[in-house]
Amino acid sequence: MAIREIRLEGDPCLKKVCREVEKFDERLHVLLDDMKDTLIKSQGVGLAAPQVGILKRVFVIDTPDGGMVEFVNPTIVSMEGSYIDVEGCLSLPGKAGNVERPVKTTVKAFDRNGKEFEYTGEDLYSKCICHENDHLDGILYAEKVIEWLDLEED
Ligand code: ZN
């Protein structure tokens, strides 16, 4: 268990297309445990591996129904509807902007032991899946912002 350093906007890791996980081994488990610790510490909803400098197709989301869910080699299989809501990112602290995302997103992924599962997120968790999945392709939500919010600086 360890807290990893979160990479900030401008770090080249955030612009890379990540590689598929091939080995569901101890190294992956340590990464997932560290990512969960880091996410809890930073009070975020989701965290993708490139945000901690690891270019693998992995993200974790703190879900309302299943606690912390680990997604390895995720593939979005369906998206429904669309809505616009405010979004932020641990890699872009102090910023927030409105982004259009599906209302409902279903993703197929593998757990830490290589077992396939399907997860459907709605509203906040739908946009979170899309946001984290974008990270795996080097895409930041900043590229999709329709309108930035004015946050007070202090
Ligand atoms: Zn993010």
Side-chain angles (χ1 to χ4, degrees), residues 51 89 131 135:
Q51 292 182 276
C89 180
H131 176 120
H135 271 301

Side-chain angles (χ1 to χ4, degrees), residues 46-48 51 87-92 131-132 135 139-141:
L47 184 70
Q51 292 182 276
E87 220 162 288
C89 180
L90 294 171
S91 294
L92 288 75
H131 176 120
E132 301 311 330
H135 271 301
I139 298 164
L140 296 177
Y141 86 98

Side-chain angles (χ1 to χ4, degrees), residues 20-149:
E20 298 249 312
V21 168
E22 284 169 8
K23 289 182 191 159
F24 293 79
D25 57 5
E26 182 61 23
R27 234 177 127 176
L28 173 69
H29 297 177
V30 170
L31 170 66
L32 286 163
D33 288 340
D34 288 357
M35 284 174 64
K36 290 195 283 189
D37 288 345
T38 307
L39 180 57
I40 291 165
K41 170 104 191 305
S42 40
Q43 298 182 302
V45 184
L47 184 70
Q51 292 182 276
V52 293
I54 305 294
L55 300 176
K56 293 214 166 132
R57 303 193 77 82
V58 171
F59 61 75
V60 294
I61 292 179
D62 194 2
T63 68
D65 41 359
M68 203 67 91
V69 179
E70 305 167 346
F71 299 81
V72 180
N73 298 342
T75 311
I76 290 176
V77 290
S78 74
M79 295 188 281
E80 280 175 42
S82 83
Y83 78 123
I84 293 170
D85 198 12
V86 64
E87 220 162 288
C89 180
L90 294 171
S91 294
L92 288 75
K95 287 186 177 179
N98 283 321
V99 181
E100 186 174 359
R101 299 285 193 188
V103 176
K104 198 170 166 181
T105 301
T106 299
V107 62
K108 249 190 204 171
F110 296 87
D111 71 9
R112 60 168 58 205
N113 298 312
K115 187 169 179 277
E116 197 175 31
F117 69 97
E118 209 171 83
Y119 182 86
T120 299
E122 293 188 46
D123 306 314
L124 168 63
Y125 299 94
S126 170
K127 80 176 174 190
C128 191
I129 287 169
C130 295
H131 176 120
E132 301 311 330
N133 198 62
D134 277 351
H135 271 301
L136 307 185
D137 291 320
I139 298 164
L140 296 177
Y141 86 98
E143 297 172 38
K144 299 187 169 178
V145 166
I146 296 163
E147 188 184 23
W148 288 100
L149 267 69

